[in-house]
Amino acid sequence: MTQRWRVALLVSVAIAISYLDRQSLPVAVAAIQRDIPLTNTQFGALSSFFLFAYALAYAGGGVLIDRLGPRRGFLVIMVFWSLACASHSLATSVWMLAGSRFLLGAGEGGGFPAATKVIAEWFPVRERSTAMGIVNAGTAVGAVVAPPAIAAILTYSNWRWVFVVCG
C-alpha cells in the first residue's frame, strides 16, 4: 500500500471518529435523562445546535485548512472536537449540553473540508473519487461502531464516561 492510500485510510479513520463522537448523545440519551431531564423538544434542539454549528463550520473550517494547511489544520480541528466531545461529560443542564453540542459541531464541521484538501493534495485527479469513497466510508464505520461501543461503555460505567472515552 502506497503512502497516499495510507493517508486516505488515516483520514477515513478521522472521519469515523467524528461520526462516533456525534452519535454519543443520541445513543446515550436514555442514560443522560436519568441525570438531566430532557424533553423530546430539548433533544431536538440539541441536535439543531450541533447541526447549525456544523453548517457554519464547513465554510470556516475550509478557511482554517487553507490557512494552516491540512496537516496542522486537521490536528487543530480534531483536538478541538475531541475536547468538545469530552466537555459533554461535565454537563449538569440542558444548556451545558447545548454548548457542548455547538462546540462539537463547530469542530467537526471542518472535517470534510480538511479531508477534501488532503485528498486533493495527495491524489491525482483520476484517483480522487476512489480516495474520497474511502474517506466517506469512515462515516458509515463510525455510525456502525458507535451504538455497540457506547452500549459497552454504559454497561461498565456511566454516561459521562461515554463522552470522555469518545473524546
Side-chain angles (χ1 to χ4, degrees), residues 24-100:
S24 300
L25 180 78
V27 176
V29 71
I32 294 168
Q33 286 176 316
R34 290 191 275 277
D35 286 343
I36 303 172
L38 290 172
T39 66
N40 287 340
T41 302
Q42 289 169 323
F43 179 74
L46 292 175
S47 297
S48 295
F49 278 108
F50 171 83
L51 291 170
F52 180 69
Y54 191 82
L56 291 176
Y58 254 64
V63 170
L64 179 72
I65 299 305
D66 285 341
R67 288 201 178 136
L68 296 179
R71 182 177 294 198
R72 283 189 301 153
F74 225 137
L75 175 65
V76 167
I77 63 170
M78 285 193 72
V79 168
F80 185 90
W81 90 49
S82 295
L83 293 172
C85 185
S87 77
H88 288 69
S89 69
L90 304 173
T92 57
S93 69
V94 173
W95 288 109
M96 290 178 79
L97 283 173
S100 293

Side-chain angles (χ1 to χ4, degrees), residues 114-126:
T116 303
K117 180 89 168 187
V118 169
I119 299 307
E121 288 186 358
W122 280 80
F123 287 86
V125 172
R126 71 182 188 287

Side-chain angles (χ1 to χ4, degrees), residues 145-159:
V145 168
I150 292 166
I153 295 167
L154 289 170
T155 299
Y156 297 103
S157 192
N158 65 40
W159 68 267

